[in-house]
Amino acid sequence: MTSVRIQQMADLGDPADEAVILAADRSLLRKFGGGLLDRALSPEAIKKAEAFISSASNVLYLDCMDEAARLQPMVGLLGKGGLDAERSLKRIIATSFAIKSKAGQSGYDLVSTLAKSLLLRCEELSAAQITPSTLKIITWHAQSIKRILELNIKGLGGEAGRALLVEIDRLRVAA
Amino acid sequence: MVGDIPLKTTTDFLSMPPTILPNLSILIVDDERLIQNLVYGVLSSLGFTNITVASSGRKALDKISTNKFDFIITDWRMDDLDGIDVVQHIRKSQKPPLCNTPIIMLTGNSEAHHVKTAISAGVNGYLIKPFSAEQLVKRIRTVIEEPRDFVMSRNFTGPDRRHVNQPPPEGTERRKLHRNK
């Protein structure tokens, strides 16, 4: 049974405000405590789950390739201005976010970093703020993502990857 | 197969001795099919079988209205209703046990301000993609083994955010004295 107490939030370090505090629900702990969870979520089970993640990485990679291919025409529409650019910017944000997560999950860290950089840059913009130089930077990101995926470069991409990361930093500082 | 990700662990899983995990009901909320399948596959590999998937925030609310889940794993960015909306809807329902259902946010949103926003909305755990099975297990174990008191106040509804076994923040005694003057 859940117990309830009333407490002044002042002693929680918050501004004075009354709160109802329900005692922690320990029903899951009662059901699965006492070492049951240790046995169920054993190192072997975790190892099996990690293997599943690895086995899924190729599917995620292929999906990233599709997303990266879709990015290119979106970037093309950005330069046209107006409603097309507005819609396109939203789609680029959604796509770069998807690439960031999936590339990271499948071990393509450099692609994930580039997608994050593209995402942050686009989130700060409105379509009206697209200039030839911002368009050039966005195009550079989209093309780099596509190229790295085509070359199937996993991880941070060694020396070439480091050069790209330096370029991302340079562009961030310049912005 | 589950979607496009081969769930090759299914056959292994069927040959495993029964565990306690089928007794735990989990709701996965994600609008990205591949990620749904990935989380589903990881949980299945761990031995969880009572898993429900909602492909949008709205569908999640429908499922929550008719089923009880032991915990929820939700994405943040979704088209119709995002993960924060889902968390707030659950927390503001003010109806235990629904309002204090443990929620783990599994998202690609990786900035510090994102984490703060999610905690303020009332999540119990936050996991950034890419994630490992070990990290997910850690969050699940924390939810089960270290349940927190549940605070319902004007400005916040969710798990108690204070660090357990730590004294109150510096200055609270001084503020109390000041208020009593």
Side-chain angles (χ1 to χ4, degrees):
Chain A
M1 188 63 190
T2 309
S3 70
V4 174
R5 67 181 194 274
I6 307 287
Q7 189 167 337
Q8 287 295 318
M9 292 302 278
D11 69 352
L12 304 184
D14 283 5
D17 186 12
E18 205 169 68
V20 172
I21 299 181
L22 307 179
D25 180 354
R26 297 183 180 276
S27 55
L28 290 179
L29 184 59
R30 277 193 294 274
K31 268 199 258 179
F32 304 110
L36 283 174
L37 217 49
D38 285 334
R39 287 197 289 281
L41 297 172
S42 63
E44 292 73 37
I46 295 173
K47 214 165 144 187
K48 199 181 236 184
E50 301 289 12
F52 178 80
I53 292 178
S54 299
S55 75
S57 93
N58 194 47
V59 178
L60 290 169
Y61 164 68
L62 292 174
D63 199 64
C64 277
M65 290 276 278
D66 287 346
E67 301 265 22
R70 281 197 288 271
L71 258 185
Q72 314 305 314
M74 293 178 203
V75 174
L77 284 174
L78 260 189
K80 295 194 170 180
L83 207 56
D84 275 349
E86 201 66 65
R87 281 195 201 120
S88 190
L89 189 61
K90 279 184 189 159
R91 288 179 62 204
I92 291 172
I93 289 171
T95 307
S96 53
F97 184 78
I99 293 175
K100 171 185 168 289
S101 297
K102 288 179 210 167
Q105 194 66 57
S106 49
Y108 291 82
D109 300 325
L110 184 57
V111 173
S112 183
T113 305
L114 274 161
K116 182 178 177 181
S117 173
L118 176 60
L119 170 73
L120 293 177
R121 187 164 292 276
C122 290
E123 278 184 332
E124 287 166 1
L125 286 173
S126 71
Q129 290 171 306
I130 307 284
T131 62
S133 75
T134 52
L135 188 59
K136 199 173 158 189
I137 292 168
I138 290 170
T139 307
W140 176 83
H141 276 85
Q143 286 175 346
S144 302
I145 288 169
K146 188 164 179 278
R147 190 78 186 120
I148 295 162
L149 285 168
E150 282 167 353
L151 293 171
N152 202 359
I153 298 173
K154 276 200 160 193
L156 283 171
E159 201 56 51
R162 268 191 290 278
L164 275 174
L165 294 176
V166 168
E167 181 63 8
I168 291 173
D169 277 342
R170 192 189 67 76
L171 291 171
R172 190 165 42 228
V173 171
Chain B
M1 293 275 285
V2 174
D4 295 329
I5 295 179
L7 188 56
K8 65 180 180 185
T9 53
T10 307
T11 46
D12 299 341
F13 173 69
L14 291 174
S15 63
M16 281 168 61
T19 71
I20 55 160
L21 297 176
N23 298 330
L24 265 170
S25 61
I26 307 170
L27 175 65
I28 300 168
V29 190
D30 203 308
D31 62 349
E32 183 72 59
R33 188 175 37 80
L34 286 180
I35 301 294
Q36 281 171 20
N37 293 347
L38 182 71
V39 180
Y40 187 99
V42 170
L43 292 172
S44 299
S45 308
L46 289 167
F48 294 98
T49 53
N50 193 354
I51 308 167
T52 305
V53 177
S55 58
S56 73
R58 272 194 205 290
K59 285 180 183 163
L61 295 186
D62 287 344
K63 291 188 188 297
I64 288 161
S65 66
T66 51
N67 301 280
K68 180 187 179 315
F69 296 99
D70 289 316
F71 62 90
I72 297 168
I73 298 173
T74 183
D75 184 23
W76 183 322
R77 292 193 187 215
M78 291 179 285
D79 279 343
D80 61 349
L81 200 67
D82 72 25
I84 293 292
D85 294 329
V86 171
V87 174
Q88 286 174 338
H89 183 93
I90 292 170
R91 296 297 182 236
K92 284 178 182 166
S93 68
Q94 305 272 322
K95 288 180 225 151
L98 171 63
C99 73
N100 56 2
T101 305
I103 304 173
I104 297 168
M105 180 75 74
L106 175 59
T107 173
N109 284 339
S110 53
E111 304 292 313
H113 68 89
H114 291 132
V115 181
K116 281 184 191 164
T117 302
I119 289 172
S120 297
V123 299
N124 297 69
Y126 196 90
L127 187 53
I128 296 168
K129 294 172 194 164
F131 69 99
S132 67
E134 193 173 2
Q135 289 167 331
L136 184 59
V137 165
K138 200 173 163 193
R139 300 301 188 285
I140 292 171
R141 291 193 70 137
T142 303
V143 159
I144 296 172
E145 294 174 334
E146 296 166 31
R148 285 176 172 254
D149 286 353
F150 191 79
V151 177
M152 291 196 283
S153 72
R154 192 160 46 92
N155 297 318
F156 174 72
T157 302
D160 195 336
R161 294 177 287 183
R162 289 172 297 172
H163 291 285
V164 180
N165 299 329
Q166 283 196 358
E170 208 178 304
T172 49
E173 288 304 313
R174 194 181 64 241
R175 284 204 292 279
K176 267 193 233 170
L177 276 174
H178 181 72
R179 214 175 6 258
N180 293 336
K181 271 181 191 172

